[in-house]
Amino acid sequence: MGLLDSLEQEADKRRSGEADEAQRRAERGEIYRIQLEPAMDALHDYLQRFVAHLKVVHPRVALRHVIPGYGDVIAYLDHDYELRYSKQSHSREIKLVSHATVASAECPSAVVRGSGRIKTVAALFQRHRLGGMLAPEKDAGGEVVAATFKAKGRIPLALTASADATTAQLKLAFANYDDFATVGRSVAAGQADEALFEEIGRYLLREDNGLLREDLPDNVRLHLKAKVQQQEIRRRWEARIETLQHEEVAMLRSRYTLRGRIAEAFGRLRRWRRSGD
């Protein structure tokens, strides 16, 4: 094959690929126009009615998030929803923002010891826009060596639903509903229906739903559940061991300082006098 023939074949291949891609783009654009645009309108209508009812009913809905080194942060939905709908020529986005107020009375008062651990927990509190560091204890050098944490504040929440002609999919993202994180799912255009909207509503109210549930085999699901339980048990034991270590160190310090030795000597003297009596 000559050079010209080789170039001609490569050019034909590329033109064919470009034509195929143009065809796929046209098909995705058609799916977006015929299916996703009406679906986004329907989802917006559903959420409008959904939040209108919630602002009247105001159900008590709890969130439980974990901060490593501290414990569970308990918060309740405020139902202060703001719904926004942005429409562009080839894309649409729905955003539902709200908050959850931390129930400080239901959150633990956790004593964190060690400057490194205190800085880590304080940084996590700050990252999640929470307050709650109380009664810091400092050593002779002014370094904070112990502090009590009790969570307070508000947690921002958001649902973002977006669709465009490029992907021809509905993309869902949920911020701070499942722990302090954003989780999401992409939905095919044909699945963006009333059943999906119902699952979204149940998810937002923390009711049983299958919105983000993966179809895993039973043995894999059981393995993951056992792993989570083992990690929780390990965290509890680590916290207990750390507490015992700090108590033991404090006892040893008290015992082997000058004041501690004097107090121990007086204690022995008192016990000797009582035994003599």
Side-chain angles (χ1 to χ4, degrees), residues 172 174 185 187 196 199-201 203-204 209-213:
L172 301 172
F174 302 88
R185 174 186 170 186
V187 181
L196 175 69
E199 290 294 292
I200 292 173
Y203 178 90
L204 295 178
N209 67 90
L211 187 64
L212 303 179
R213 191 178 301 153

Side-chain angles (χ1 to χ4, degrees), residues 113 137 145-146 242-257 259-261:
R113 301 183 185 277
E137 300 175 16
V145 294
E242 182 180 2
T243 300
L244 292 174
Q245 287 175 338
H246 284 300
E247 291 175 352
E248 185 176 356
V249 168
M251 182 190 68
L252 291 174
R253 283 178 177 173
S254 173
R255 184 170 185 177
Y256 290 102
T257 57
R259 183 180 298 176
R261 290 198 297 271

Side-chain angles (χ1 to χ4, degrees), residues 10-227:
E10 182 64 25
D12 289 342
K13 185 186 300 182
R14 295 199 178 189
R15 279 192 290 266
S16 176
E18 291 171 357
D20 291 342
E21 178 58 30
Q23 178 65 26
R24 286 192 291 269
R25 281 198 303 269
E27 290 173 354
R28 290 193 295 267
E30 191 74 0
I31 291 171
Y32 169 77
R33 185 179 63 82
I34 294 176
Q35 298 185 49
L36 282 176
E37 283 188 345
M40 290 292 283
D41 290 340
L43 175 57
H44 179 256
D45 291 342
Y46 176 89
L47 291 174
Q48 270 189 323
R49 291 181 282 119
F50 180 70
V51 299
H53 295 325
L54 289 179
K55 288 179 179 180
V56 175
V57 178
H58 217 272
R60 188 168 173 81
V61 180
L63 302 179
R64 183 183 297 270
H65 296 350
V66 177
I67 292 183
Y70 170 71
D72 289 342
V73 176
I74 312 299
Y76 291 89
L77 298 186
D78 289 341
H79 302 297
D80 58 336
Y81 302 101
E82 179 186 352
L83 182 61
R84 300 193 291 265
Y85 192 10
S86 173
K87 297 182 181 182
Q88 305 297 327
S89 58
H90 299 291
S91 65
R92 296 191 177 191
E93 181 181 88
I94 298 170
K95 192 146 192 173
L96 179 66
V97 297
S98 59
H99 297 82
T101 296
V102 175
S104 294
E106 299 181 34
C107 297
S109 293
V111 178
V112 180
R113 301 183 185 277
S115 60
R117 289 181 177 270
I118 293 170
K119 290 177 181 177
T120 298
V121 175
L124 290 173
F125 267 60
Q126 185 176 12
R127 181 191 304 171
H128 303 315
R129 306 179 188 180
L130 300 177
M133 188 173 82
L134 310 170
E137 300 175 16
K138 299 182 180 180
D139 60 14
E143 183 79 17
V144 177
V145 294
T148 300
F149 286 84
K150 191 171 184 65
K152 64 179 182 180
R154 299 178 83 205
I155 301 172
L157 307 169
L159 156 65
T160 303
S162 59
D164 58 57
T166 302
T167 61
Q169 289 183 326
L170 170 62
K171 295 181 179 179
L172 301 172
F174 302 88
N176 292 336
Y177 279 92
D178 282 310
D179 221 329
F180 291 106
T182 297
V183 296
R185 174 186 170 186
S186 293
V187 181
Q191 296 176 333
D193 54 17
E194 285 288 337
L196 175 69
F197 305 160
E198 179 77 9
E199 290 294 292
I200 292 173
R202 291 185 179 278
Y203 178 90
L204 295 178
L205 292 182
R206 317 313 298 142
E207 295 182 0
D208 187 38
N209 67 90
L211 187 64
L212 303 179
R213 191 178 301 153
E214 295 184 19
D215 295 327
L216 298 175
D218 290 341
N219 61 330
V220 176
R221 195 182 302 279
L222 290 173
H223 173 73
L224 293 175
K225 183 178 180 180
K227 187 175 181 180

